[in-house]
Amino acid sequence: MTAEYAPATTPIATTSSSMLPSWAAWTIGLIFIVAAWFVSLATPGDVQKKAPFEVPATIGQAATGRNIAVTFTDLRRADTVNATAWSAEGNWLVVDLDAEAVLTETGASLRSAQLRIDGKQFDASERPKSFYRGALHVGVPQSGSLAFELPADLRAGEGRIELALNGVNPELDSMIVLTIDLADVPAVDETDLLTTGWTNP
């Protein structure tokens, strides 16, 4: 009987090229962690996703958002403010402006008017009759004033005036923003608020 010849099989050599040194594995892992951290920084959080869309404004130039257009026409500080059959002393910031709706008059009123300065928030005063919470009309601008009553010792500081339609929740809507330096706002002893009405053509 002839013995069958069985060719010798050469085992396939395994190489260590697919195996990374431990220091390389740690380095790659660290790179992935750092990359994930940068991605998380670039990805807006829940608060940022719901934040209003800010529209920068300057004095005398119209700033237009989704359904609100505002032109700030004057700023002044005063020790006494007069409105219709009303007057009050204090530390006041008075803002004159023209405003109108852009798309629709439904729900279009100036329900959010705030001054933020040095980390503090001040809503437009409801004491005098003013443009605060006034209805806006499409294509027909109105003129009026807002009055912010400030603490007696607040005479300087960088801040911003924020105007929006939704006073409760301005998320995901336009917000008109005017940046100011309170120390640069002209001061007068006494001033009158504009009577809210149609702007002059």
Side-chain angles (χ1 to χ4, degrees), residues 75-77 91 93 115 117-118 150 153-159 179-188:
L75 294 176
R76 59 200 177 277
R77 291 173 38 229
N91 181 21
L93 173 66
L115 168 67
I117 189 164
D118 291 341
L150 308 178
D153 59 348
L154 185 56
R155 303 284 175 169
E158 295 184 355
T179 301
I180 67 168
D181 188 331
L182 195 59
D184 293 338
V185 177
V188 296

Side-chain angles (χ1 to χ4, degrees), residues 3 16 18 40 45 47 52 74 77-78 84 89-90 101 126 166 180 196 199-200:
S16 59
S18 61
S40 67
V47 174
D74 191 31
R77 291 173 38 229
T84 305
E89 296 182 351
E126 297 186 71
N166 196 328
I180 67 168
T196 301
T199 58
N200 294 324

Side-chain angles (χ1 to χ4, degrees), residues 12-78:
I12 299 174
T14 58
T15 64
S16 59
S17 60
S18 61
M19 303 295 292
L20 293 174
S22 60
W23 64 267
W26 278 103
T27 301
I28 293 175
L30 182 60
I31 291 173
F32 278 116
I33 291 173
V34 172
W37 180 67
F38 277 107
V39 169
S40 67
L41 289 179
T43 304
D46 289 340
V47 174
Q48 292 172 309
K49 289 178 181 177
K50 297 180 181 179
F53 300 105
E54 295 187 1
V55 180
T58 56
I59 299 292
Q61 298 294 322
T64 303
R66 181 189 63 85
N67 193 36
I68 182 174
V70 173
T71 302
F72 292 96
T73 57
D74 191 31
L75 294 176
R76 59 200 177 277
R77 291 173 38 229

